[in-house]
Amino acid sequence: MYTFLTTSPWADYELIDAGNFEKLERFGQHILARPEPQAIWDPHLPASEWQRANATFNREKGSQERGQWKIKPGTPEQWLIGYERPDGLKLRFRLGMSSFKHVGLFPEQDPNWQFIYNQTRKRKAAVPRVLNLFAYTGAATLAARAAGADVTHLDSVKQVNFWARDNMEASNLDGVRWLVEDAMKYVRREVKRGSKYQGLILDPPAYGRGPNGEKWQLEDELNEMLKLCKELLDPEDHFFLVNLYSLGFSALILDNLVGEIFPAMRDKREIGEIYLHDAAARKLPLGTFCRFAT
């Protein structure tokens, strides 16, 4: 089933406007303006509204990601925001302004965090095992942990794992297993060990490096990664989620891959796009996803 997912109303986050390859967002009390290559239309709001931003990211010449923040006096470089949902999921996240325009959180993933939380609680296993690969600052990890899972959080960047640990502590959680590892190498070893998980979460980048320089190229590695993940899933009791943010990577590619590798889930899977909507109700596409559960 082809589906569009978007964020539910959230007190500490909103996409205020998007356009001219930029987005204007509020995180808690602070408004940020930063690049967004998918926002090719004109902004809805006048320039005076964009000038309200507490911090604006300016890209380095010739770079799509790297740059510097111009921060107004009195604006902290790090702060906490809350996240609470009617189903009981309640977390806190530490945000910070990185030199790659990111702030440590991808708010469009809200519907997937709710999926993880609710599907973890539906597992038959007394303590479901969940593996989060390419786990970044751990919002998905914490959603599974808050639902009672035994969670392994894997990312190849040590500093990112420290950030995720801060989010865990801010959310009054504990017990997560932290790994600084190459995802492909770890999954291959887990398959050889015969490990099984009731939940698997993947949010791989288009391109990346493991801790020892291992190369990750999405179009070259994803097929094998999904095949290995099938071997790791508990055949009777599981949920699965893969999310991609790669310009030009169609959801139809995921449809073909998942359809071939997980044929039994053909009628159970959701597949499609994730977006954020601004105050003018325009939809900003921010990735493709596939998810299913037994």
Side-chain angles (χ1 to χ4, degrees), residues 266-278:
R266 187 173 297 276
D267 296 329
K268 295 184 178 181
R269 71 179 186 264
E270 294 177 279
I271 192 163
E273 296 186 48
I274 291 180
Y275 69 92
L276 288 171
H277 52 84
D278 64 16

Side-chain angles (χ1 to χ4, degrees), residues 38-293:
Q38 303 264 53
I40 68 172
W41 48 85
D42 292 333
H44 176 71
L45 297 175
S48 58
E49 289 298 310
W50 285 73
Q51 290 166 4
R52 294 173 52 219
N54 300 99
T56 301
F57 187 86
N58 298 311
R59 283 182 298 200
E60 291 180 1
K61 187 176 180 179
S63 174
Q64 291 296 315
E65 294 282 334
R66 186 176 288 277
Q68 291 185 333
W69 290 91
K70 183 179 179 181
I71 304 173
K72 289 182 178 178
T75 303
E77 293 191 13
Q78 296 184 8
W79 68 102
L80 289 170
I81 66 168
Y83 174 78
E84 188 169 357
R85 289 296 176 231
D87 56 17
L89 180 56
K90 185 176 181 180
L91 303 170
R92 283 173 66 79
F93 304 116
R94 175 176 70 79
L95 305 187
M97 300 181 213
S98 77
S99 60
F100 291 93
K101 82 179 180 180
H102 300 302
V103 296
L105 193 68
F106 295 98
E108 68 273 10
Q109 290 299 313
D110 158 62
N112 280 332
W113 301 334
Q114 294 182 64
F115 172 84
I116 291 164
Y117 179 72
N118 288 312
Q119 287 298 329
T120 299
R121 293 196 297 172
K122 290 180 180 179
R123 295 307 101 210
K124 299 172 185 176
V127 181
R129 298 184 71 212
V130 173
L131 174 61
N132 188 10
L133 300 169
F134 313 97
Y136 194 47
T137 57
T141 293
L142 301 184
R145 182 66 187 133
D150 175 1
V151 187
T152 298
H153 170 114
L154 185 149
D155 198 279
S156 64
V157 181
K158 184 182 296 186
Q159 292 84 354
V160 166
N161 278 5
F162 289 149
W163 196 336
R165 188 186 294 269
D166 288 346
N167 288 336
M168 178 189 70
E169 293 172 354
S171 300
N172 294 316
L173 295 170
D174 59 15
V176 172
R177 183 186 183 208
W178 309 101
L179 295 179
V180 178
E181 265 271 25
D182 176 74
M184 187 68 84
K185 285 184 176 180
Y186 181 76
V187 167
R188 286 171 179 157
R189 291 202 308 272
E190 284 290 88
V191 169
K192 288 182 178 179
R193 287 190 283 250
S195 295
K196 296 295 179 184
Y197 292 88
Q198 285 74 46
L200 278 175
I201 306 161
L202 297 87
D203 195 356
Y207 175 82
R209 291 282 185 180
N212 296 312
E214 300 92 343
K215 184 179 178 182
W216 168 270
Q217 193 80 37
L218 184 66
E219 61 268 29
D220 295 335
E221 311 291 346
L222 186 60
N223 190 16
E224 181 184 355
M225 175 61 80
L226 294 182
K227 290 176 181 177
L228 292 168
C229 285
K230 182 181 181 181
E231 297 298 314
L232 290 180
L233 281 175
D234 179 332
E236 304 297 328
D237 183 25
H238 64 251
F239 72 85
F240 179 81
L241 167 65
V242 56
N243 183 79
L244 305 176
Y245 179 74
S246 179
L247 296 181
F249 207 96
S250 168
L252 293 176
I253 295 175
L254 271 183
D255 191 29
N256 290 331
L257 283 171
V258 175
E260 290 289 329
I261 297 168
F262 301 94
M265 295 293 110
R266 187 173 297 276
D267 296 329
K268 295 184 178 181
R269 71 179 186 264
E270 294 177 279
I271 192 163
E273 296 186 48
I274 291 180
Y275 69 92
L276 288 171
H277 52 84
D278 64 16
R282 296 176 306 177
K283 300 176 178 67
L284 176 63
L286 290 168
T288 59
F289 77 96
C290 180
R291 65 191 194 184
F292 55 77

